[in-house]
Amino acid sequence: MSFIKWPFKRNKITYESDATIEVVPKHVAIIMDGNGRWANDQGLPRMRGHKEGMDNVRRIVKMASGEGIEILTLYAFSTENWKRPKSEVEYLLKLPKEFLNVYLPELIEENVRVKTIGHFDALPKHTKKAVQYAIDQTANNTGLILNIALNYGSRSEIVNAVQSIAHQVENGNLRPSEIEEATINSHLFTKELPDPDLLIRTSGEIRLSNFLLWQLAYTEFWFTDVHWPAFTEAEFSAALHAFQLRKRRFGGLKETKKE
Ligand code: IPE
Ligand code: IPE
Ligand code: MG
């Protein structure tokens, strides 16, 4: 097997058997952590870390798009992040608008399609407005899907799914024995998306923090100590390279591209 370093020239590895395995993950999910610590390390206020983190999204989106990744899901604000001081919550929820104000034209030019997962309705009006505008403006784009997890929490996502399936049963539209994995999938925020192939978490924490608990069942994990604002193209490249070397078996004995 050849080892491909970024920038990738090809996105397939050919094995001796002539079988080809796609090596670029189709769906990459990132827990963008460590903005506060990054700022703290340089004696800057936490908000500065969030701002740098936001600018880094641009770099990473560009690279993801260039590498042929189809979906990039970014954890931007969790259902637990409301616990932070009000001023920080307000700042964090202003960032999508700031980001889109500056970068939406670039996203459009790159043929990126913006989507979100999470409890959208509970977001402040100004956040919803800016994000909805970006969703609408990019709705017909056919390139990278930039899927922003905003006010996202996996447990509440599953609770909502269970409630809505229970209603269907109550109304006589579904028998309990008819509930299968696909039923649950179809009630999640991610219903239109394949599960992530690769999960990246920056800043050294080895936990999921309520992110995509159902969807990550067979995802490859990659952790780095680097804080999100310092997560460069070279870091991303290292993660993609590590992914290429993973042998995904999905419970079977042979390496498989997909379940
Ligand atoms: C990630 O950075 C941004 C969000 C969680 C919204 P943090 O703000 O969690 O930074 P640390 O983990 O405190 O360094
Ligand atoms: C996870 O980071 C959430 C986001 C990156 C949006 P946190 O910083 O909130 O996670 P914990 O609190 O360290 O688990
Ligand atoms: Mg954190």
Side-chain angles (χ1 to χ4, degrees):
M1 174 159 89
S2 55
F3 295 93
I4 304 172
K5 289 224 165 65
W6 185 80
F8 303 126
K9 290 283 177 276
R10 309 172 280 157
N11 64 359
K12 286 184 196 298
I13 286 178
T14 305
Y15 287 82
E16 280 163 37
S17 63
D18 269 357
T20 58
I21 299 229
E22 275 183 36
V23 290
V24 174
K26 187 171 181 170
H27 184 176
V28 176
I30 307 184
I31 302 177
M32 308 181 291
D33 198 14
N35 291 349
R37 278 165 282 175
W38 178 89
N40 198 41
D41 286 352
Q42 5 231 324
L44 296 168
R46 287 181 62 83
M47 305 308 127
R48 203 36 220 292
H50 293 316
K51 168 83 174 63
E52 292 291 326
M54 178 191 94
D55 289 337
N56 195 36
V57 167
R58 176 199 190 193
R59 273 198 285 187
I60 297 306
V61 166
K62 252 193 157 132
M63 179 165 158
S65 165
E67 295 306 339
I69 289 164
E70 291 177 31
I71 305 144
L72 181 67
T73 295
L74 300 179
Y75 205 6
F77 190 87
S78 77
T79 46
E80 286 70 39
N81 287 147
W82 294 101
K83 292 180 194 162
R84 297 188 180 197
K86 194 164 170 264
S87 56
E88 179 160 346
V89 168
E90 277 173 8
Y91 189 84
L92 285 169
L93 294 177
K94 250 196 267 162
L95 284 180
K97 183 175 163 186
E98 266 194 45
F99 177 80
L100 293 165
N101 274 348
V102 181
Y103 298 126
L104 184 58
E106 215 172 281
L107 295 178
I108 292 172
E109 199 173 304
E110 290 246 349
N111 198 20
V112 171
R113 181 167 176 200
V114 177
K115 275 178 176 273
T116 62
I117 52 171
H119 303 279
F120 194 76
D121 289 346
L123 290 167
K125 238 190 190 151
H126 62 87
T127 313
K128 283 192 279 195
K129 198 172 159 207
V131 174
Q132 191 59 53
Y133 182 73
I135 292 171
D136 295 342
Q137 290 294 306
T138 61
N140 296 321
N141 288 356
T142 53
L144 176 82
I145 293 176
L146 171 59
N147 184 36
I148 311 168
L150 256 184
N151 196 18
Y152 175 85
S154 194
R155 287 192 168 187
S156 64
E157 175 184 44
I158 293 169
V159 167
N160 286 356
V162 171
Q163 283 178 348
S164 127
I165 293 167
H167 275 304
Q168 284 182 265
V169 172
E170 192 179 37
N171 297 336
N173 295 326
L174 187 70
R175 279 196 292 269
S177 60
E178 288 172 337
I179 299 171
E180 26 181 64
E181 288 190 11
T183 320
I184 295 173
N185 270 325
S186 70
H187 285 84
L188 300 176
F189 291 126
T190 50
K191 55 177 170 281
E192 285 154 13
L193 303 171
D195 290 340
D197 300 292
L198 173 65
L199 171 83
I200 296 171
R201 182 169 186 150
T202 59
S203 214
E205 310 301 347
I206 315 291
R207 58 173 170 257
L208 294 179
S209 301
N210 204 12
F211 192 43
L212 302 172
L213 303 181
W214 168 276
Q215 297 87 339
L216 296 175
Y218 265 105
T219 301
E220 298 297 325
F221 288 6
W222 195 82
F223 297 98
T224 173
D225 287 339
V226 172
H227 300 311
W228 173 249
F231 184 84
T232 56
E233 285 99 337
E235 281 289 322
F236 195 14
S237 170
L240 295 175
H241 187 232
F243 176 82
Q244 292 172 0
L245 305 179
R246 299 282 174 91
K247 304 221 179 314
R248 304 183 79 191
R249 288 183 289 272
F250 299 98
L253 297 180
K254 277 202 293 215
E255 192 175 353
T256 334
K257 200 176 94 184
K258 250 197 213 130
E259 264 176 299

